[in-house]
Amino acid sequence: MIDPRALGVYVVTSSAFGPGRDHRTVTHAAIDGGATAVQLRAPELDDDALLPLASELATTCRDAGVLFVVNDRLEVALGSGASGVHLGQDGDPHEARRRLGADRVLGVSVGGADEAVAAERAGADYLGVTVWSTPTKPDAEPRGLAGLGDVVEITALPVVGIGGIFATNATLVLEAGAAGVAVISAVAAAADPVGATRDLVAIVERFRAGAFRR
Ligand code: TZP
């Protein structure tokens, strides 16, 4: 079981936004800005290069009390001391659950209600849904706020929205029932990544304060 609050502002790293926006820098900016979770997403690195970086960032995030998840690479997640792994639709969540044990976190990207049910049965702790199309991942199929809402409706697991999310539209994602917003360019491509993270944190906190009053 994961505390859904740990998914509130979920910053995913990328090396696509230039030298000052590498995985390490973005992770530190996310932590300084108050992000609750960081995902190391580095398809460009092989396991030998990724493992030491993941181990370093796992320690950094653990010290900061921030959830740290490795994208797709189960061996690296297991070997680095990460909090867990996030799998796309190509991953095997059954194997990941078995290898992670009960205490580590398993996130799974899903495209709709059927995949959500299957991922939940396989032992996922949280689900991710692509909300809007994004140049950061042009092949990701956007499901819209309605698709996000369908997944939220069918599962007991917390769901994060990803894809095209910025401070300007994050509230819509939360209103659709997401436990949190996962972002790449909103932080990694921002002029001020720490400030951009802080803005998202303020939005999530404001939303939760309102949600609790209802
Ligand atoms: N999975 C679905 S969309 C996406 C991923 C990794 C990219 C999100 O990037 P951005 O820049 O926040 O739209």
Side-chain angles (χ1 to χ4, degrees), residues 16-185:
F17 297 98
R21 306 304 165 94
D22 55 275
H23 302 291
R24 193 178 277 108
T25 311
V26 170
T27 298
H28 283 275
I31 290 171
D32 292 348
T36 54
V38 168
Q39 181 187 131
L40 174 60
R41 184 171 183 273
E44 76 282 5
L45 299 179
D46 66 18
D47 281 8
D48 287 347
L50 187 57
L51 184 60
L53 177 62
S55 301
E56 176 195 318
L57 298 182
T59 302
T60 302
C61 287
R62 190 180 326 112
D63 291 350
V66 167
L67 188 80
F68 176 69
V69 172
V70 176
N71 180 269
D72 260 342
R73 314 280 280 278
L74 180 60
E75 300 306 328
V76 173
L78 290 167
S80 64
S83 318
V85 73
H86 184 94
L87 298 182
Q89 272 305 298
D90 295 341
D92 179 351
H94 293 277
E95 192 211 349
R97 177 79 281 159
R98 186 173 53 76
R99 307 259 330 266
L100 287 166
D103 292 341
R104 271 178 288 201
V105 170
L106 173 58
V108 179
S109 295
V110 298
D114 291 351
E115 291 176 9
V117 170
E120 185 170 354
R121 288 203 181 120
D125 294 298
Y126 75 91
L127 305 178
V129 174
T130 303
V131 181
W132 291 296
S133 63
T134 172
T136 311
K137 192 170 186 239
D139 63 334
E141 202 182 319
R143 311 293 171 166
L145 293 169
L148 171 64
D150 289 346
V151 170
V152 167
E153 193 77 358
I154 198 102
T155 184
L157 300 177
V159 182
V160 296
I162 187 166
I165 301 173
F166 295 86
T168 46
N169 57 16
T171 304
L172 296 173
V173 176
L174 300 170
E175 283 172 350
V181 288
V183 300
I184 299 183
S185 51

